[in-house]
Amino acid sequence: MKSATRSASSTFLSAAATGAPPLGGITKRGFDIAATSLALLFLSPIFLLIAALVKASDGGNVFYGHRRIGHNGRSFHCLKFRTMRMDGDRVLQAYLKANPEAYEEWRTTRKLKDDPRVTTVGAVLRKLSLDELPQLVNILRGEMSIVGPRPVVEDELELYESAASYYLQTRPGLTGLWQVSGRNDVSYSARVAFDTEYVRTWSLIRDMLIVVKTIPAVCASRGSY
């Protein structure tokens, strides 16, 4: 079943690679570059502090890159401050095997509310969404945007079904409509609906409003784990 899912995803991605420009064009890209450059300038002390805390927590790598699907089906390594144990894959598989309810939660949402892989420092970073700050580098590279759907792994496109075509029209975002509308507190189907609505109704003004709404959402840690 897993190989069949991957095959279907690969076929879909091949068909999606149309070469069409990303949503918002030069206007959206210009906003991304300007805002991200300012953010990196002002947040550099916080970057250094978080890097030191992650390194001191267990001596492992500071950053973590995971393969995600971007605009037109192109893959890229989505950067984060590492929040999980270095042997996280082994820990996850053992945990899911021993906990059927957790396995079902993982199967339907690709997330766990009580994730055994997360370190103590990582739990705080996730709660405040600080682990995602390195994605500012992804934005400068042109792999992501400040606002857009959250980046997904290839198998997750199957959960989008026909709405995957909307996801692939834009660069994934550091924040987005889903993040300011409940995040992990809403169902995956609601997340897909938010992403679809965002692409259908995009405007630069709406991007700016989402950025403004992100600040209280992050401070309140709504749906963040």
Side-chain angles (χ1 to χ4, degrees):
M1 177 66 72
K2 192 170 183 179
S3 61
T5 299
R6 283 180 178 167
S7 177
S9 297
S10 298
T11 300
F12 188 90
L13 290 173
S14 297
T18 62
L23 181 76
I26 295 175
T27 301
K28 186 172 174 63
R29 181 62 181 150
F31 173 69
D32 285 343
I33 293 173
T36 300
S37 297
L38 286 173
L40 285 171
L41 178 64
F42 286 106
L43 294 175
S44 55
I46 296 178
F47 263 75
L48 293 174
L49 176 60
I50 294 174
L53 289 172
V54 173
K55 190 66 176 179
S57 66
D58 61 6
N61 298 331
V62 171
F63 299 103
Y64 174 76
H66 195 267
R67 184 176 178 272
R68 299 297 173 100
I69 302 301
H71 169 245
N72 270 348
R74 298 187 187 94
S75 64
F76 68 97
H77 279 88
C78 185
L79 301 175
K80 288 187 176 186
F81 284 116
R82 183 176 59 84
T83 60
M84 296 185 180
R85 293 171 45 169
M86 294 295 291
D87 59 347
D89 289 340
R90 180 190 62 79
V91 172
L92 175 64
Q93 294 306 316
Y95 183 75
L96 295 180
K97 187 175 181 179
N99 296 272
E101 290 184 3
Y103 173 79
E104 186 61 23
E105 180 186 359
W106 176 262
R107 188 185 67 81
T108 55
T109 68
R110 294 299 194 275
K111 284 182 176 288
L112 293 174
K113 195 160 190 177
D114 297 311
D115 196 321
R117 300 171 295 173
V118 178
T119 65
T120 302
V121 171
V124 175
L125 295 180
R126 285 181 163 217
K127 195 71 175 175
L128 299 174
S129 297
L130 293 174
D131 60 314
E132 297 175 354
L133 286 180
Q135 288 165 30
L136 292 169
V137 176
N138 288 120
I139 296 172
L140 284 182
R141 289 176 178 173
E143 298 161 338
M144 291 180 62
S145 179
I146 291 178
V147 182
R150 284 302 296 155
V152 300
V153 298
E154 184 175 324
D155 288 351
E156 281 185 273
L157 282 179
E158 293 294 312
L159 301 176
Y160 275 70
E161 298 180 340
S162 61
S165 61
Y166 290 99
Y167 172 89
L168 295 169
Q169 288 178 39
T170 186
R171 294 183 179 98
L174 176 62
T175 187
L177 194 55
W178 171 67
Q179 286 92 325
V180 300
S181 303
R183 202 169 179 176
N184 293 312
D185 289 339
V186 302
S187 67
Y188 204 97
S189 60
R191 169 179 171 173
V192 172
F194 284 133
D195 290 346
T196 302
E197 179 189 347
Y198 171 76
V199 174
R200 283 176 169 170
T201 62
W202 177 83
S203 72
L204 184 59
I205 292 177
R206 194 174 196 194
D207 271 9
M208 293 178 178
L209 289 174
I210 289 174
V211 170
V212 171
K213 289 180 179 179
T214 298
I215 298 172
V218 169
C219 292
S221 300
R222 292 199 297 266
S224 181
Y225 57 82

Coordinates of all heavy atoms in Angstrom, one line a residue, residues 96-151:
L96 N 5.0 4.1 17.8 CA 3.8 3.8 17.1 C 3.4 2.3 17.1 O 2.2 2.0 17.1 CB 4.0 4.2 15.6 CG 4.2 5.7 15.4 CD1 4.4 6.0 13.9 CD2 3.0 6.5 15.9
K97 N 4.4 1.4 17.1 CA 4.2 0.0 17.2 C 3.5 -0.4 18.5 O 2.7 -1.3 18.6 CB 5.5 -0.8 17.0 CG 5.3 -2.3 16.9 CD 6.6 -2.9 16.6 CE 6.5 -4.4 16.5 NZ 7.8 -5.1 16.2
A98 N 3.9 0.3 19.6 CA 3.4 0.0 20.9 C 2.1 0.7 21.3 O 1.4 0.4 22.3 CB 4.5 0.3 22.0
N99 N 1.7 1.8 20.5 CA 0.6 2.6 20.8 C -0.4 2.7 19.6 O -0.2 3.6 18.7 CB 1.0 4.0 21.3 CG 1.8 3.9 22.6 OD1 1.2 4.0 23.6 ND2 3.1 3.8 22.4
P100 N -1.4 1.9 19.4 CA -2.3 1.9 18.3 C -3.0 3.2 18.1 O -3.2 3.7 17.0 CB -3.3 0.8 18.6 CG -2.5 -0.1 19.5 CD -1.7 0.7 20.3
E101 N -3.4 3.9 19.2 CA -4.0 5.2 19.1 C -3.1 6.2 18.5 O -3.5 7.1 17.7 CB -4.5 5.6 20.5 CG -5.7 4.8 21.0 CD -6.3 5.3 22.3 OE1 -5.7 6.4 22.8 OE2 -7.2 4.7 22.9
A102 N -1.8 6.2 18.9 CA -0.9 7.1 18.4 C -0.6 6.9 16.9 O -0.4 7.8 16.1 CB 0.4 7.0 19.2
Y103 N -0.6 5.6 16.6 CA -0.4 5.2 15.2 C -1.5 5.8 14.3 O -1.3 6.3 13.2 CB -0.4 3.7 15.0 CG -0.4 3.3 13.5 CD1 0.8 3.3 12.8 CD2 -1.5 2.8 12.9 CE1 0.8 2.9 11.5 CE2 -1.5 2.5 11.6 CZ -0.4 2.5 10.9 OH -0.4 2.1 9.5
E104 N -2.8 5.7 14.8 CA -3.9 6.2 14.0 C -3.8 7.8 13.9 O -4.1 8.3 12.9 CB -5.2 5.8 14.7 CG -6.5 6.2 13.9 CD -6.5 5.6 12.6 OE1 -5.9 4.5 12.3 OE2 -7.2 6.1 11.7
E105 N -3.4 8.4 15.0 CA -3.2 9.9 15.0 C -2.2 10.3 14.0 O -2.3 11.2 13.2 CB -2.8 10.4 16.4 CG -2.6 11.9 16.5 CD -2.0 12.3 17.8 OE1 -1.8 11.5 18.7 OE2 -1.8 13.5 18.0
W106 N -1.1 9.5 13.9 CA 0.0 9.8 13.0 C -0.4 9.5 11.5 O -0.1 10.3 10.6 CB 1.2 8.9 13.3 CG 2.4 9.1 12.3 CD1 2.7 8.2 11.3 CD2 3.3 10.1 12.3 NE1 3.8 8.7 10.6 CE2 4.2 9.8 11.2 CE3 3.5 11.3 13.1 CZ2 5.3 10.7 10.9 CZ3 4.6 12.1 12.8 CH2 5.5 11.8 11.7
R107 N -1.2 8.5 11.3 CA -1.6 8.1 10.0 C -2.6 9.2 9.4 O -2.5 9.5 8.2 CB -2.4 6.8 10.0 CG -2.7 6.2 8.7 CD -3.6 4.9 8.8 NE -4.9 5.2 9.3 CZ -5.9 5.7 8.6 NH1 -5.8 5.9 7.3 NH2 -7.1 5.9 9.2
T108 N -3.4 9.8 10.2 CA -4.4 10.7 9.7 C -3.9 12.2 9.7 O -4.3 13.0 8.9 CB -5.7 10.7 10.5 OG1 -5.3 10.9 11.9 CG2 -6.3 9.3 10.4
T109 N -2.9 12.5 10.5 CA -2.5 13.9 10.6 C -1.0 14.2 10.4 O -0.6 15.3 10.2 CB -2.8 14.5 12.0 OG1 -2.0 13.9 13.0 CG2 -4.3 14.4 12.3
R110 N -0.2 13.1 10.4 CA 1.2 13.2 10.3 C 1.9 13.9 11.4 O 3.0 14.5 11.3 CB 1.7 13.8 9.0 CG 1.3 13.0 7.7 CD 2.0 11.6 7.7 NE 2.0 11.0 6.5 CZ 1.0 10.2 6.0 NH1 -0.1 10.0 6.8 NH2 1.0 9.6 4.8
K111 N 1.1 14.0 12.6 CA 1.6 14.7 13.8 C 1.2 13.9 15.0 O 0.2 13.2 15.0 CB 1.1 16.1 13.8 CG 1.8 17.1 12.9 CD 1.3 18.5 13.1 CE 2.0 19.5 12.2 NZ 3.4 19.8 12.7
L112 N 1.9 14.1 16.1 CA 1.6 13.6 17.4 C 1.5 14.7 18.4 O 2.5 15.4 18.5 CB 2.6 12.5 17.8 CG 2.7 11.2 17.0 CD1 3.8 10.4 17.5 CD2 1.3 10.4 17.0
K113 N 0.5 14.7 19.2 CA 0.4 15.7 20.2 C 1.4 15.5 21.3 O 2.0 16.4 21.8 CB -1.1 15.8 20.8 CG -1.3 17.0 21.6 CD -2.8 17.2 21.8 CE -3.1 18.6 22.4 NZ -4.6 18.9 22.5
D114 N 1.6 14.2 21.6 CA 2.6 13.9 22.6 C 3.7 13.1 21.9 O 3.7 11.8 21.8 CB 2.0 13.0 23.7 CG 1.0 13.8 24.5 OD1 1.3 15.0 24.9 OD2 -0.1 13.3 24.8
D115 N 4.6 13.8 21.3 CA 5.6 13.1 20.4 C 6.9 12.8 21.3 O 7.5 13.6 21.8 CB 6.1 14.1 19.3 CG 6.8 13.4 18.2 OD1 7.6 12.5 18.5 OD2 6.6 13.8 17.0
P116 N 7.2 11.5 21.4 CA 8.3 11.0 22.2 C 9.7 11.4 21.7 O 10.7 11.3 22.4 CB 8.1 9.5 22.2 CG 7.5 9.2 20.9 CD 6.6 10.3 20.6
R117 N 9.7 11.9 20.5 CA 11.0 12.3 19.9 C 11.5 13.7 20.3 O 12.7 14.0 20.2 CB 10.9 12.2 18.4 CG 10.6 10.9 17.8 CD 10.3 11.0 16.3 NE 9.1 11.8 16.0 CZ 8.7 12.2 14.8 NH1 9.4 11.9 13.8 NH2 7.6 12.9 14.7
V118 N 10.6 14.5 20.8 CA 10.9 15.9 21.0 C 11.7 16.1 22.3 O 11.3 15.5 23.4 CB 9.5 16.7 21.1 CG1 9.8 18.2 21.4 CG2 8.8 16.6 19.8
T119 N 12.7 16.9 22.2 CA 13.6 17.2 23.4 C 12.9 18.3 24.2 O 12.0 18.9 23.8 CB 15.0 17.7 22.9 OG1 14.8 18.9 22.2 CG2 15.6 16.7 22.0
T120 N 13.5 18.5 25.4 CA 13.0 19.5 26.3 C 13.1 20.9 25.7 O 12.1 21.7 25.7 CB 13.7 19.5 27.7 OG1 13.6 18.2 28.2 CG2 13.1 20.5 28.6
V121 N 14.2 21.2 25.1 CA 14.4 22.5 24.5 C 13.5 22.6 23.2 O 12.9 23.6 22.9 CB 15.9 22.7 24.0 CG1 16.0 23.9 23.1 CG2 16.8 22.8 25.3
G122 N 13.4 21.4 22.5 CA 12.6 21.4 21.3 C 11.1 21.7 21.6 O 10.4 22.3 20.8
A123 N 10.6 21.2 22.7 CA 9.2 21.4 23.1 C 8.9 22.9 23.2 O 7.9 23.4 22.8 CB 8.9 20.6 24.4
V124 N 9.9 23.6 23.8 CA 9.7 25.1 24.0 C 9.7 25.8 22.6 O 8.9 26.6 22.3 CB 10.7 25.6 24.9 CG1 10.6 27.2 25.0 CG2 10.6 25.0 26.3
L125 N 10.7 25.4 21.8 CA 10.8 26.0 20.5 C 9.6 25.8 19.7 O 9.1 26.7 19.0 CB 12.0 25.4 19.8 CG 13.4 25.7 20.4 CD1 14.5 25.1 19.6 CD2 13.6 27.2 20.5
R126 N 9.0 24.5 19.7 CA 7.8 24.2 19.0 C 6.6 25.0 19.5 O 5.8 25.5 18.7 CB 7.5 22.7 19.1 CG 8.4 21.9 18.2 CD 8.1 20.4 18.3 NE 8.7 19.7 17.2 CZ 8.1 18.7 16.6 NH1 6.9 18.3 17.0 NH2 8.7 18.0 15.6
K127 N 6.5 25.1 20.8 CA 5.4 25.8 21.4 C 5.3 27.3 20.9 O 4.2 27.8 20.7 CB 5.5 25.8 22.9 CG 4.2 26.2 23.6 CD 3.2 25.1 23.5 CE 1.9 25.4 24.3 NZ 0.9 24.4 24.1
L128 N 6.5 27.9 20.7 CA 6.6 29.3 20.3 C 6.9 29.4 18.8 O 7.0 30.5 18.3 CB 7.7 30.0 21.1 CG 7.5 30.0 22.6 CD1 8.7 30.6 23.3 CD2 6.3 30.8 23.0
S129 N 6.9 28.3 18.1 CA 7.1 28.3 16.7 C 8.5 28.8 16.3 O 8.8 29.2 15.1 CB 6.1 29.0 15.9 OG 4.8 28.4 16.1
L130 N 9.4 28.9 17.3 CA 10.8 29.4 17.0 C 11.6 28.4 16.2 O 12.6 28.8 15.6 CB 11.5 29.7 18.3 CG 10.9 30.9 19.1 CD1 11.6 31.0 20.5 CD2 11.0 32.2 18.3
D131 N 11.3 27.1 16.2 CA 12.0 26.1 15.5 C 12.0 26.4 14.0 O 12.8 25.9 13.2 CB 11.5 24.7 15.8 CG 10.0 24.5 15.4 OD1 9.2 25.4 15.8 OD2 9.7 23.5 14.8
E132 N 10.9 27.1 13.5 CA 10.8 27.4 12.1 C 11.5 28.6 11.5 O 11.5 28.8 10.3 CB 9.3 27.5 11.8 CG 8.5 26.2 12.1 CD 7.0 26.3 11.9 OE1 6.5 27.5 11.7 OE2 6.3 25.3 12.1
L133 N 12.2 29.3 12.4 CA 12.9 30.5 11.9 C 13.9 30.3 10.8 O 14.1 31.1 9.9 CB 13.6 31.2 13.1 CG 12.6 32.0 14.1 CD1 13.5 32.6 15.2 CD2 11.8 33.0 13.4
P134 N 14.6 29.2 10.8 CA 15.6 28.9 9.7 C 14.9 28.9 8.3 O 15.6 29.0 7.3 CB 16.2 27.6 10.1 CG 16.2 27.5 11.6 CD 14.8 28.1 11.9
Q135 N 13.6 28.7 8.3 CA 12.9 28.7 7.0 C 13.0 30.1 6.3 O 12.7 30.2 5.1 CB 11.5 28.3 7.2 CG 11.4 26.8 7.5 CD 10.1 26.3 8.0 OE1 9.0 26.9 7.7 NE2 10.1 25.3 8.9
L136 N 13.4 31.1 7.0 CA 13.7 32.4 6.4 C 14.8 32.2 5.3 O 14.8 32.9 4.3 CB 14.1 33.4 7.4 CG 13.1 33.9 8.4 CD1 13.7 34.7 9.6 CD2 12.0 34.7 7.8
V137 N 15.7 31.3 5.5 CA 16.7 31.0 4.5 C 16.1 30.4 3.3 O 16.4 30.7 2.2 CB 17.8 30.1 5.1 CG1 18.8 29.7 4.1 CG2 18.5 30.8 6.3
N138 N 15.1 29.4 3.6 CA 14.4 28.8 2.4 C 13.7 29.9 1.6 O 13.6 29.8 0.4 CB 13.4 27.8 3.0 CG 14.0 26.6 3.5 OD1 13.8 26.2 4.7 ND2 14.7 25.8 2.7
I139 N 13.2 30.9 2.3 CA 12.5 32.0 1.6 C 13.4 32.8 0.7 O 13.1 33.0 -0.5 CB 11.7 32.9 2.6 CG1 10.7 32.2 3.4 CG2 11.1 34.1 1.9 CD1 10.1 32.9 4.5
L140 N 14.6 33.1 1.2 CA 15.6 33.8 0.4 C 16.0 33.0 -0.8 O 16.3 33.6 -1.9 CB 16.8 34.2 1.3 CG 16.6 35.4 2.2 CD1 17.9 35.7 3.0 CD2 16.1 36.7 1.5
R141 N 16.1 31.7 -0.6 CA 16.5 30.8 -1.7 C 15.4 30.7 -2.8 O 15.7 30.2 -3.9 CB 16.8 29.4 -1.2 CG 18.0 29.3 -0.4 CD 18.1 27.9 0.1 NE 19.3 27.6 0.9 CZ 19.5 26.5 1.6 NH1 18.6 25.5 1.6 NH2 20.6 26.3 2.3
G142 N 14.2 31.2 -2.5 CA 13.1 31.1 -3.4 C 12.3 29.7 -3.3 O 11.5 29.4 -4.2
E143 N 12.6 29.0 -2.3 CA 11.9 27.7 -2.1 C 10.6 27.8 -1.4 O 9.7 27.0 -1.5 CB 12.9 26.7 -1.3 CG 14.2 26.4 -2.1 CD 15.3 25.9 -1.1 OE1 15.2 26.1 0.1 OE2 16.2 25.3 -1.7
M144 N 10.5 28.9 -0.5 CA 9.3 29.1 0.2 C 8.9 30.6 0.1 O 9.7 31.4 -0.5 CB 9.6 28.7 1.7 CG 9.7 27.2 2.0 SD 10.0 26.8 3.7 CE 8.4 27.4 4.5
S145 N 7.8 30.9 0.7 CA 7.3 32.3 0.8 C 7.0 32.6 2.2 O 6.9 31.7 3.1 CB 6.0 32.4 -0.1 OG 5.5 33.7 0.0
I146 N 6.8 33.8 2.6 CA 6.5 34.2 4.0 C 5.1 33.6 4.3 O 4.8 33.1 5.3 CB 6.5 35.7 4.2 CG1 7.9 36.2 4.1 CG2 5.8 36.1 5.5 CD1 8.1 37.7 4.3
V147 N 4.2 33.8 3.3 CA 2.8 33.3 3.5 C 2.4 32.3 2.4 O 2.7 32.5 1.2 CB 1.8 34.5 3.4 CG1 0.3 34.0 3.7 CG2 2.1 35.6 4.4
G148 N 1.8 31.2 2.8 CA 1.4 30.1 1.9 C 1.0 28.9 2.6 O 1.0 28.9 3.9
P149 N 0.7 27.8 2.0 CA 0.4 26.5 2.6 C 1.7 26.0 3.4 O 2.8 26.3 2.9 CB 0.0 25.6 1.5 CG -0.3 26.5 0.3 CD 0.6 27.7 0.5
R150 N 1.5 25.3 4.4 CA 2.6 24.7 5.1 C 3.2 23.7 4.2 O 2.5 22.9 3.5 CB 2.2 24.1 6.4 CG 2.0 25.1 7.5 CD 3.3 25.9 7.8 NE 4.4 25.2 8.3 CZ 5.7 25.5 8.2 NH1 6.0 26.6 7.5 NH2 6.6 24.8 8.6
P151 N 4.6 23.5 4.1 CA 5.2 22.6 3.2 C 4.9 21.1 3.6 O 4.9 20.8 4.8 CB 6.7 22.9 3.3 CG 6.8 23.6 4.6 CD 5.6 24.4 4.8

